[in-house]
Amino acid sequence: MVDLKRLQTAVEVGDRDTAVAVTEEALAESIPPLDILEWMTDAMGVVGDRFSRQELYVPEMLISARAMKAAVALLEPLLIASGYKPDKKAVMGTIKGDLHDIGKNLVGMMLKGANFEIVDLGTNTSVEEFMAAAREHKPDIIGISALLTTTMGNMKHVINAVREADDLPNLRVIVGGAPVTHEFAVSIGADGWAPDASSAVVVATAVVETARGNTDLQGFIDPDKVAAAGLQIAVPAG
Ligand code: B1M
């Protein structure tokens, strides 16, 4: 039986080949992709803590990230349900000043699995880039990721620009990322916030269906689950 601790260690030390090999083994044993993912996310927590204690530096963080990305790529087809029929659209990006993209990519994959078409703007995304993509692709939501406390405030500028745009009345904005709390999301006027990729699916779906006037969310998501998680849901205007 596969030892997923080896996967965690491989991501921690940036051993891409082992991370990929153990992930392949785990998938062959039909271990659920979200369980596999948890070991890698834990590894990134360890890497972050070591960075904080100056036991490792940016290059080591980078090779850990590369190992995780290579292994996550194997999970992507499983996270996206077969029979993918997009009926919702999200423009996703990491906020200006921030180059972290693993969490944003995971949220994008999970949203695809929930029938969202994803337009990925990558990292270091400016207000102007978000707004241009919103006008070009006409998404239901913009999803913004932020990992740095120094630049997470830039998300507010995107929200303000969306609110001020007369031509985008139904566009909603959801935010997330390790330092982004529910309180912070409310303070910048986001329509939705989620602490992780799985709950991002619940929140994004709720936000979109509410904006579409489907106020009876029962058919789309479990409202009790949303409330229990303390998640914010958009209230339809008017
Ligand atoms: Co950086 N980094 N990093 N880093 N890095 C952190 C974030 C840090 C916490 C490490 C630490 O000090 N402990 C720290 C930030 C401190 C702070 O702001 N208070 C930090 C720092 C300081 C930096 C630099 C400034 C270091 C330097 O240069 N001196 C620099 C900044 C560069 C820049 O962005 N301008 C930097 C650089 C890097 C690398 C490039 C080397 C690399 C990123 C590679 C990449 O992403 N391609 C990196 C890494 C890997 C990390 C850590 C170790 C791991 C991040 C990660 O991928 N986590 C991180 C420490 C940590 O997080 N513990 C750290 C795994 C990922 C699955 O989790 O992204 O949180 P996460 O996503 C989750 C949720 O947050 C949520 O769902 C995801 C899945 O469940 N979520 C959303 C995310 N987005 C969402 C959006 C939503 C909803 C939910 O709705 C739209």
Side-chain angles (χ1 to χ4, degrees), residues 144 152-153 155-157 159-160 163 173-177 179-195 203 207 226 229-235:
I144 318 176
M152 65 193 227
M155 294 194 291
K156 184 170 173 50
H157 304 313
I159 294 169
N160 289 347
R163 302 290 182 244
V173 184
I174 70 165
V175 297
V180 181
T181 60
H182 181 248
E183 290 69 29
F184 179 77
V186 172
S187 77
I188 60 172
D191 296 302
W193 162 87
V203 171
V207 166
V226 175
L231 304 175
Q232 190 194 1
I233 303 180
V235 178

Side-chain angles (χ1 to χ4, degrees), residues 48 51-52 61 97 99-103 144-145 147-149 177-178 194 196-197:
F51 177 79
S52 298
M61 273 207 293
L99 302 175
H100 298 83
D101 66 355
I102 296 179
I144 318 176
S145 183
L147 265 287
L148 297 174
T149 48
D196 55 50

Side-chain angles (χ1 to χ4, degrees), residues 142-226:
I142 287 179
I144 318 176
S145 183
L147 265 287
L148 297 174
T149 48
T150 45
T151 51
M152 65 193 227
N154 291 338
M155 294 194 291
K156 184 170 173 50
H157 304 313
V158 180
I159 294 169
N160 289 347
V162 169
R163 302 290 182 244
E164 285 162 13
D166 294 335
D167 55 333
L168 300 167
N170 297 319
L171 181 60
R172 301 291 186 261
V173 184
I174 70 165
V175 297
V180 181
T181 60
H182 181 248
E183 290 69 29
F184 179 77
V186 172
S187 77
I188 60 172
D191 296 302
W193 162 87
D196 55 50
S198 301
S199 51
V201 171
V202 175
V203 171
T205 306
V207 166
V208 172
E209 295 303 345
T210 308
R212 288 179 179 180
N214 297 318
T215 49
D216 175 12
L217 295 170
Q218 199 66 54
F220 302 100
I221 50 150
D222 181 349
D224 292 339
K225 199 170 154 194
V226 175

